[in-house]
C-alpha cells in the first residue's frame, strides 16, 4: 500500500516542476470532540467532519454559505410530510433523524400508526409471515418518512459544499468521540513546517431548537505525531480565535409535546 | 404505487408474458410438439407446448456449458435489464430457507432461455437442461431436480456494490446509543449458530449497531491465513509461532460480513433505491473469480473480542470505513497501523520490537521477528514506513 502512496507522492512532486520545490508529505489529524457538550451530553458523536485546504479566510465563501443556509428542522420536515405526532415523538425519544437509527420494537407497532399500517401491508405482501412483516417494516412505509430527511440533508450538504471538494471526510466514533484523518497530503509553504486546513461538520447539527456548525482552522505538519484539534462547546464570552461556530435558531413546528418513553 | 414497489407474483407473471411476446417479435417461427424430434415427448409434457425459436442465423449453439452474464446476447437489448431473467421473489422463497424472506432463491425459468436456445434444448440429449437441473437430459425434473441456486462451485461473476460512507451517514449519525439489541434489522437466519462465544469481559459487550447489523463476531473457527506481503523484503525464514493465552487465534477473533440479502432487503426490498429487482444496483459484472475461502489477516493475534477491543466503537480502529464508497477498492480490512500504535495502546510494543529488530541487525544476527501482533509470516519482513510513525 505505501508503495502506491509513495508513487502518488512522487507523481505530485513531479507536477510541481523544478522551480518551486516545496516539501510534501503525509500528515495526520486527531480531532477531539468529546468536549463539545450541551446539557452535559457530548453531541458530536458519530458526526461527519470534512477537511478542506486553507484556513477560515481562504474559505470565506463556504463560511458565508454556512451562515445563511436555510435549515429545516427535523420536526418541521416530518410535520410537512404529514407524519403522525406519534411517529415524530418516536423519533424524538432517541434524538433520531430517521427511523434507521433505532429498531422498531414489536411494542412500538401498535403505538405508531405508520408502523401499524406498514405491518399490516407487510402481512399481506409477505404471505402472512409475521417475522418478515415485523423486520421489514420500513419497506412498507412511505419513502419520505423513511429516507426523506436523509435526502433533504444530503441535498443541503451538496449545496453547501458547492464546487468545493473536501480533502477527506470521516466520522467521530462513539467511544473516544474523536475523528482521525490520516494520510493527508500536505504541501508545506516555503519556510513553514505546517499547512493550514479547515475542519467543519458542514451539515448543521440540530440540538434543542438550535443548529450548530463548527468551522475550525488547524495547522497540519508531516511530523511523526498527529496534529491535534480540540472542538469546544461554543461560549459567547470566550470566542475561539481559530474557530467560527455558527449557531442559529430553528423554526419550531411541533404541535404536541411528547411524553417521555 | 410507490416507486419500485413490487407486486409479488403478479409482477412475475406479467414479466413472463412480456418475454414470450418479445420472443415472438424476434422473428420466431413457431413449431409445435409434433414437428419436434423424438425425445421431445418427455419434455413436452413438462412445459408449455409452444416454444419460440429465433432465426437460425442468430441461434446460439450450446453444449451444457456454464451460463455467462458477459455473453453479449445475455446482456444486450432487453436482457440489459437483469429483471428480464431474474424474478424477485422466486416462487420457492417461502420454503427455500429455515427463516424465509422474499428472495432470489432460484434460476430464471424456462421462458428466459428457451426462446433463443430452442435448438440447444433438443440437441445433445438435453445437455442444456444441466445448466439448471441435476439431470442434464430431457428427464430433468422440477423441485429437488433443480440444482441449488446459485451454484457454489461456479466462478462468481459479480462483485458487490456497497458504499459504507453513505450507509454510515444514514445509520450512524443519529444515535448516541450503542447498546441497542440486535434483531429487527436482521433476520434470525442471518445469525450464525445459537450460542455466542462468551467474551473475556465479564459485562456484556456493547453492540455497535451501525456495523453489527451486517458484521458479527464469528462463532465457529473460520479458515484463516496470514496476508501475503508484497513489495517488501523478508529478512529471515519463517519460524514456529508462539502464542500467549490472549493471542491464540480463536473464532471470536474474527468478524463476518453479509453473504445474502438479509441485511440489505430490510431497507431495499422496495421503495429505497436500488430496490430488490434492480440487481445491477448492487451487483457489478466483473471477470469471473473464485471467492477466497479464508479470512486474510496481517495480524493473526488480534482479537476483536478482548476486553480493550470489544469496548471500542468499530470506527475507533476502522477509521477510514466511513469514507469508503466502494468495497471493491478495499485491499484489506483497512485498519491503519496508527490506530493501534497511539501511545496509550500499543506504542510501547512497537517501540520495543523496533529496537529489538534494529539491535539484531546492528549485531549482524538473524533479524528479530516481530511477534506481538504478527505471526512470523509477516513479522519477519522489513519494518514498513507506517510502523515508524508511532
Amino acid at each position: 500500500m505505501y508503495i502506491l502512496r509513495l508513487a502518488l507522492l512522487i507523481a505530485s512532486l513531479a507536477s510541481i516542476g523544478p522551480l518551486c520545490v516545496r516539501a510534501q508529505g503525509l500528515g495526520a489529524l486527531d480531532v477531539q470532540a468529546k468536549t463539545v457538550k450541551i446539557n452535559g451530553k457530548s453531541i458530536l458523536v458519530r458526526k461527519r467532519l470534512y477537511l478542506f485546504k486553507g484556513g477560515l479566510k481562504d474559505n470565506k465563501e463556504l463560511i458565508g454559505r454556512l451562515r445563511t443556509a436555510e435549515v429545516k428542522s427535523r420536526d418541521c420536515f416530518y410535520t410537512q410530510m404529514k407524519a403522525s405526532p406519534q411517529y415524530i415523538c418516536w423519533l424524538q425519544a432517541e434524538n433520531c433523524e430517521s427511523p434507521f437509527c433505532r429498531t422498531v420494537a414489536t411494542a412500538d407497532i401498535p403505538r405508531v400508526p405508520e408502523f401499524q399500517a406498514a405491518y399490516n401491508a407487510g402481512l399481506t405482501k409477505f404471505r402472512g409471515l409475521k417475522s418478515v412483516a415485523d423486520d421489514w417494516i420500513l419497506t412498507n412505509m412511505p419513502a419520505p418518512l423513511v429516507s426523506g430527511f436523509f435526502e433533504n440533508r444530503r441535498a443541503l450538504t451538496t449545496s453547501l459544499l458547492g464546487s468545493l471538494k473536501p480533502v477527506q471526510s470521516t466520522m467521530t466514533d462513539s467511544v473516544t468521540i474523536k475523528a482521525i484523518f490520516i494520510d493527508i497530503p500536505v504541501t508545506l509553504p516555503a519556510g513553514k513546517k505546517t499547512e493550514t486546513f479547515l475542519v467543519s461538520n458542514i451539515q448543521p447539527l440540530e440540538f434543542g431548537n438550535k443548529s450548530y456548525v463548527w468551522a475550525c482552522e488547524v495547522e497540519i505538519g508531516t511530523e511523526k505525531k498527529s496534529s491535534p484539534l480540540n472542538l469546544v462547546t461554543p461560549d459567547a464570552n470566550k470566542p475561539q480565535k481559530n474557530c467560527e461556530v455558527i449557531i442559529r435558531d430553528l423554526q419550531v413546528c411541533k404541535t404536541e409535546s411528547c411524553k417521555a418513553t | 404505487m410507490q416507486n419500485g414497489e413490487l407486486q409479488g407474483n403478479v409482477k412475475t407473471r406479467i414479466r413472463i408474458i412480456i418475454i414470450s411476446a418479445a420472443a415472438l417479435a424476434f422473428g420466431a417461427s413457431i413449431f409445435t410438439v409434433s414437428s419436434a424430434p423424438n425425445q421431445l415427448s418427455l419434455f413436452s409434457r413438462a412445459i408449455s407446448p409452444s416454444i419460440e425459436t429465433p432465426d437460425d442465423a442468430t441461434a446460439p449453439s450450446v453444449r451444457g456449458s456454464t451460463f455467462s452474464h458477459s455473453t453479449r446476447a445475455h446482456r444486450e437489448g432487453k436482457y440489459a435489464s437483469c429483471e428480464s431473467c431474474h424474478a424477485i421473489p422466486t416462487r420457492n422463497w417461502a420454503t427455500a430457507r429455515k427463516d424465509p424472506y422474499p428472495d432470489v432463491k432460484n434460476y430464471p425459468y424456462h421462458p428466459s432461455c428457451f426462446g433463443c436456445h430452442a435448438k440447444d434444448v433438443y440437441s445433445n440429449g438435453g445437455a442444456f437442461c444441466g445448466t439448471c437441473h441435476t439431470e442434464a437430459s430431457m428427464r430433468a425434473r422440477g423441485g429437488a431436480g433443480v440444482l441449488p441456486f446459485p451454484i457454489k462451485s461456479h466462478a462468481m461473476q459479480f462483485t458487490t456494490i456497497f458504499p459504507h460512507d453513505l450507509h454510515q451517514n444514514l445509520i450512524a449519525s443519529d444515535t448516541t446509543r450503542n447498546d441497542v439489541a440486535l434483531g429487527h434489522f436482521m433476520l434470525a437466519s442471518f445469525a450464525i449458530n445459537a450460542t455466542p462465544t462468551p467474551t473475556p469481559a465479564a459485562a456484556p459487550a456493547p453492540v455497535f449497531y451501525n456495523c453489527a447489523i451486517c458484521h458479527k463476531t464469528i462463532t465457529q473457527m473460520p479458515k484463516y491465513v496470514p496476508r501475503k506481503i508484497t513489495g517488501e523484503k523478508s529478512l529471515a525464514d519463517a519460524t514456529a509461532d508462539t502464542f500467549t493465552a490472549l493471542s491464540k487465534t480463536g473464532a471470536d477473533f474474527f468478524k463476518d460480513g453479509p453473504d445474502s440479502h438479509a441485511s440489505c432487503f430490510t431497507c431495499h426490498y422496495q421503495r429505497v433505491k436500488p430496490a430488490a429487482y434492480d440487481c445491477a444496483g448492487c451487483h457489478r459484472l466483473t471477470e469471473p473469480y473464485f471467492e477466497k475461502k479464508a479470512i486474510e489477516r496481517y495480524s493473526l493475534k488480534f482479537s476483536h473480542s478482548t476486553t480493550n477491543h470489544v469496548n471500542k466503537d468499530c470506527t475507533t480502529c476502522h477509521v477510514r470505513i466511513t469514507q469508503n464508497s466502494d468495497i471493491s477498492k478495499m485491499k484489506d480490512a483497512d485498519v491503519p497501523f496508527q490506530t493501534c500504535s497511539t501511545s496509550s495502546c500499543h506504542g510501547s510494543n512497537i517501540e520495543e520490537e523496533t529496537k529489538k529488530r534494529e539491535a539484531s541487525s546492528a549485531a549482524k544476527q538473524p533479524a528479530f521477528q516481530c511477534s506481538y501482533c504478527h505471526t512470523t509470516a509477516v513479522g519477519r519482513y522489513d519494518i514498513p514506513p507506517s510502523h515508524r510513525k508511532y
Side-chain angles (χ1 to χ4, degrees):
Chain A
M1 283 290 268
Y2 65 83
I3 289 175
L4 190 82
R5 278 179 223 139
L6 208 69
L8 280 172
L9 214 68
I10 292 164
S12 53
L13 267 171
S15 65
I16 289 166
L19 276 180
C20 71
V21 179
R22 288 182 293 177
Q24 302 250 335
L26 294 175
L29 169 68
D30 275 17
V31 184
Q32 179 55 263
K34 203 173 202 146
T35 41
V36 181
K37 290 189 174 174
I38 287 173
N39 302 333
K41 246 183 112 181
S42 287
I43 60 161
L44 279 173
V45 173
R46 294 218 184 117
K47 299 294 180 241
R48 189 170 288 283
L49 296 177
Y50 297 82
L51 182 73
F52 303 93
K53 268 191 174 300
L56 284 162
K57 270 209 212 93
D58 308 293
N59 289 292
K60 271 204 305 276
E61 284 167 22
L62 173 68
I63 309 286
R65 288 197 293 272
L66 294 174
R67 280 206 196 104
T68 55
E70 219 174 280
V71 184
K72 186 178 284 182
S73 74
R74 248 164 12 217
D75 291 349
C76 287
F77 176 86
Y78 285 108
T79 308
Q80 281 164 19
M81 293 299 147
K82 307 222 160 39
S84 69
Q86 292 92 325
Y87 184 61
I88 296 179
C89 289
W90 181 85
L91 289 169
Q92 261 189 21
E94 302 262 333
N95 193 27
C96 283
E97 290 179 351
S98 77
F100 297 126
C101 107
R102 60 180 291 201
T103 34
V104 180
T106 310
D108 294 332
I109 296 171
R111 286 195 205 128
V112 178
E114 283 88 345
F115 294 156
Q116 187 65 60
Y119 179 80
N120 294 346
L123 271 189
T124 318
K125 183 159 269 163
F126 306 135
R127 300 195 189 170
L129 283 178
K130 289 200 176 82
S131 60
V132 184
D134 191 331
D135 289 335
W136 290 21
I137 213 149
L138 300 185
T139 68
N140 282 304
M141 278 181 43
L145 295 189
V146 177
S147 52
F149 189 75
F150 163 77
E151 273 157 33
N152 171 289
R153 283 299 195 256
R154 179 164 66 180
L156 177 63
T157 306
T158 309
S159 77
L160 288 172
L161 288 174
S163 57
L164 202 58
K165 276 242 170 345
V167 180
Q168 285 185 11
S169 84
T170 189
M171 275 170 137
T172 55
D173 70 325
S174 69
V175 173
T176 61
I177 319 192
K178 280 208 300 193
I180 297 174
F181 293 91
I182 56 170
D183 291 346
I184 306 164
V186 174
T187 310
L188 300 179
K192 280 194 70 185
K193 283 205 142 51
T194 58
E195 186 187 353
T196 312
F197 286 86
L198 189 77
V199 172
S200 174
N201 55 313
I202 303 288
Q203 199 182 100
L205 217 95
E206 191 175 332
F207 211 87
N209 291 325
K210 291 184 165 37
S211 77
Y212 299 80
V213 179
W214 279 259
C216 295
E217 239 171 51
V218 62
E219 294 294 319
I220 302 176
T222 54
E223 300 289 302
K224 268 189 169 186
K225 290 266 182 225
S226 289
S227 311
L229 169 69
N230 288 312
L231 295 182
V232 297
T233 314
D235 182 344
N237 302 318
K238 275 191 279 172
Q240 270 185 291
K241 73 171 192 313
N242 65 332
C243 278
E244 163 121 18
V245 187
I246 301 156
I247 306 174
R248 302 176 64 199
D249 291 320
L250 291 175
Q251 195 198 339
V252 179
C253 292
K254 198 165 36 101
T255 46
E256 283 176 43
S257 65
C258 301
K259 285 187 295 278
T261 39
Chain B
M1 214 203 281
Q2 298 282 334
N3 67 29
E5 184 157 3
L6 291 175
Q7 291 298 313
N9 296 334
V10 177
K11 173 142 192 159
T12 313
R13 229 177 295 130
I14 292 170
R15 203 182 48 78
I16 290 169
I17 295 163
I18 293 168
I19 289 173
S20 325
L24 277 168
F26 203 72
S29 64
I30 300 177
F31 62 91
T32 53
V33 181
S34 56
S35 68
N38 283 343
Q39 65 264 54
L40 243 172
S41 51
L42 256 177
F43 186 57
S44 59
R45 256 184 275 134
I47 58 167
S48 99
S50 70
I51 296 170
E52 305 82 31
T53 48
D55 287 2
D56 278 350
T58 51
S61 88
V62 173
R63 300 282 177 270
S65 43
T66 308
F67 176 87
S68 165
H69 288 84
S70 307
T71 300
R72 278 182 64 183
H74 294 164
R75 62 179 164 85
E76 284 187 345
K78 91 180 160 129
Y79 295 98
S81 156
C82 318
E83 250 193 297
S84 61
C85 288
H86 291 289
I88 166 99
T90 46
R91 275 186 301 184
N92 64 342
W93 74 262
T95 50
R97 296 175 191 276
K98 213 158 57 186
D99 299 288
Y101 57 89
D103 195 15
V104 195
K105 286 308 282 177
N106 212 346
Y107 296 86
Y109 194 43
H110 301 154
S112 302
C113 323
F114 287 8
C116 295
H117 286 285
K119 254 184 149 177
D120 303 305
V121 163
Y122 306 114
S123 63
N124 218 19
F128 183 72
C129 315
T131 316
C132 311
H133 288 277
T134 52
E135 180 90 30
S137 78
M138 298 309 273
R139 284 191 302 276
R141 282 284 164 266
V146 181
L147 290 163
F149 174 83
I151 302 176
K152 300 279 184 208
S153 62
H154 285 175
M156 312 257 297
Q157 303 180 23
F158 297 91
T159 51
T160 312
I161 307 173
F162 177 75
H164 278 86
D165 57 354
L166 178 150
H167 288 85
Q168 287 305 306
N169 285 348
L170 196 74
I171 312 173
S173 65
D174 318 293
T175 183
T176 51
R177 284 177 52 173
N178 306 322
D179 57 342
V180 190
L182 285 182
H184 283 269
F185 262 126
M186 221 176 51
L187 292 148
S189 63
F190 191 59
I192 327 169
N193 297 323
T195 40
T197 317
T199 53
V207 170
F208 297 100
Y209 173 81
N210 59 321
C211 310
I213 57 168
C214 298
H215 298 284
K216 287 191 319 311
T217 306
I218 293 179
T219 53
Q220 261 173 12
M221 188 66 103
K223 282 201 185 126
Y224 57 85
V225 287
R227 206 170 267 284
K228 279 245 160 23
I229 307 295
T230 50
E232 267 150 280
K233 278 200 311 260
S234 146
L235 304 177
D237 291 334
T239 53
D241 284 311
T242 51
F243 295 90
T244 62
L246 275 182
S247 72
K248 181 86 199 103
T249 318
D252 64 352
F253 277 38
F254 301 99
K255 295 281 179 186
D256 65 3
D259 64 353
S260 73
H261 293 126
S263 55
C264 310
F265 285 0
T266 45
C267 294
H268 283 287
Y269 188 65
Q270 52 186 3
R271 298 190 173 119
V272 171
K273 285 182 198 161
Y277 65 83
D278 179 13
C279 320
C282 300
H283 293 279
R284 187 190 291 134
L285 195 60
T286 184
E287 287 292 313
Y289 66 101
F290 283 98
E291 234 180 5
K292 296 202 182 88
K293 294 258 186 319
I295 297 182
E296 288 181 87
R297 278 284 188 98
Y298 290 112
S299 173
L300 280 169
K301 295 184 174 176
F302 171 82
S303 170
H304 277 99
S305 303
T306 47
T307 317
N308 287 316
H309 293 156
V310 79
N311 60 4
K312 303 287 184 300
D313 200 342
C314 314
T315 53
T316 312
C317 302
H318 294 271
V319 288
R320 282 193 287 216
I321 196 86
T322 61
Q323 47 180 310
N324 186 282
S325 59
D326 185 352
I327 39 177
S328 70
K329 297 225 165 73
M330 288 179 80
K331 301 274 174 281
D332 49 45
D334 195 24
V335 180
F337 180 75
Q338 274 137 290
T339 64
C340 350
S341 63
T342 49
S343 53
S344 61
C345 300
H346 298 295
S348 60
N349 305 117
I350 183 64
E351 201 174 335
E352 192 182 309
E353 292 202 318
T354 305
K355 280 195 190 129
K356 285 186 181 162
R357 168 62 67 80
E358 282 164 356
S360 67
S361 55
K364 303 230 161 31
Q365 276 170 359
F368 167 78
Q369 305 200 13
C370 299
S371 59
Y372 184 81
C373 299
H374 298 298
T375 45
T376 142
V378 175
R380 66 196 164 99
Y381 281 81
D382 218 352
I383 306 177
S386 64
H387 288 38
R388 302 274 185 188
K389 289 198 177 198
Y390 53 83

